[in-house]
Amino acid sequence: MENTSQSTSLKLVAYVELNYLRYLYFAIVFMLYATIIIINAIIIGIVCTDKSLHEPMYIFLINLLINDVVGGTSLCPSILVYLLSNSSEISREYCLVQIFWLYVYGGCEFVMLAVIGYDRHLSICYPLYYNSIMHSRRVSNLIVFSWIFPLSLVSISVTLASQVQLCGNTIENIYCDNYCLNKIACSDMTHIITFDTLLIFLISVPQIFLLLYSYAKILQICLRASRESQKRALSTCMPHLVTLLNYFIGVIFQIIQSRFNLTQVPTVIHSIFSVYFLIIPPLLNPVVYGLKMQQIKLRIIKILMDK
């Protein structure tokens, strides 16, 4: 196999097969990306400008939506450029940049969802002590942790990936991810695979336990509460549960498209699996929270009526 470890470019071969309908795909991705920016900006703007919404729940929501915008922006513009370009080449440096932001987005999203679940647990199980427990310093610390913890781990992973020697230059996707890069590597990957396994463990397992613990406590309280209290708790938790479900669907699609042989699957289906994680959560999250959280919904209605 030809050693291309010194090569400065890789090929995203999926764009070659998407070329025959590239203008249609460009229009679809562009409209979805523009919608992501607009609806997230609306919710972020409402929460930031309305002082009555400056509560921990809404502050955590703002960080989730900012991360959604970062995730969509990290790859959607480059996808649009490649759809209009005759070239499917990508520099190795930019490939690593894509990997970095893809995993920062995914890692931050899950940590933030775990923090929001913990916040819902406190508000439902300890309503009288909620404000004293979730004080401004704790909120700030949780937000900083949600960003810095995944970012630090992913930085180490991408630094290790940058040292890998490559014996190929073909990426069978519309963007780079670590697994695709590992498939064309010819150097020893043991230390990188070990660290990536540790990264997945640290970002997923503690958060899963926190979510399970939070919802076990919420369920325990709801079973002893009145029907009206149960409805209020369900209404409070529903946006978070929908967001969690959507996140896990995106992760499953991401695993399918990167780790399984999809040579028999049409490239457009493969590409849909690839972009689901980048487009659907950022598209759905502000809609779910905007419709389900009464204060935000009332604020949106008031803005529309004033106009």
Side-chain angles (χ1 to χ4, degrees), residues 131-265:
N131 289 329
S132 60
I133 297 173
M134 196 58 74
H135 49 76
S136 58
R137 184 175 179 181
R138 176 162 291 176
V139 170
S140 300
N141 288 341
L142 287 171
I143 289 171
V144 170
F145 175 78
S146 299
W147 287 102
I148 298 300
F149 176 62
L151 195 148
S152 301
L153 291 176
V154 173
S155 296
I156 298 172
S157 176
V158 172
T159 300
L160 293 174
S162 67
Q163 301 168 4
V164 171
Q165 287 187 324
L166 303 180
C167 290
N169 68 342
T170 299
I171 303 291
E172 296 177 358
N173 202 350
I174 56 175
Y175 56 77
C176 291
D177 64 56
N178 235 4
Y179 191 77
C180 290
L181 209 61
N182 291 348
K183 286 200 294 188
I184 59 173
C186 53
S187 55
D188 183 14
M189 301 292 294
T190 304
H191 63 299
I192 296 178
I193 293 172
T194 301
F195 182 80
D196 285 348
T197 303
L198 177 63
L199 183 153
I200 293 169
F201 178 89
L202 292 174
I203 287 181
S204 62
V205 174
Q207 278 60 248
I208 289 173
F209 276 115
L210 181 57
L211 286 165
L212 291 175
Y213 172 79
S214 297
Y215 276 101
K217 288 294 185 181
I218 290 171
L219 181 61
Q220 190 178 44
I221 291 292
C222 287
L223 290 176
R224 299 200 303 259
S226 65
R227 186 173 295 275
E228 173 128 5
S229 296
Q230 291 175 353
K231 286 182 179 179
R232 281 202 304 270
L234 180 62
S235 178
T236 301
C237 295
M238 186 56 68
H240 183 247
L241 291 171
V242 172
T243 303
L244 270 175
L245 177 63
N246 192 34
Y247 176 84
F248 284 123
I249 291 173
V251 169
I252 290 169
F253 281 172
Q254 189 69 18
I255 292 171
I256 289 173
Q257 66 85 20
S258 63
R259 286 164 173 74
F260 292 92
N261 185 359
L262 299 181
T263 52
Q264 304 302 318
V265 177

Side-chain angles (χ1 to χ4, degrees), residues 34-65:
T35 305
I36 287 170
I37 298 298
I38 292 168
I39 62 176
N40 279 279
I42 289 171
I43 303 298
I44 292 170
I46 287 172
V47 175
C48 288
T49 56
D50 191 336
K51 291 185 179 180
S52 68
L53 299 178
H54 292 180
E55 301 173 6
M57 175 174 60
Y58 298 105
I59 294 171
F60 293 138
L61 172 60
I62 285 297
N63 279 270
L64 180 71
L65 298 186

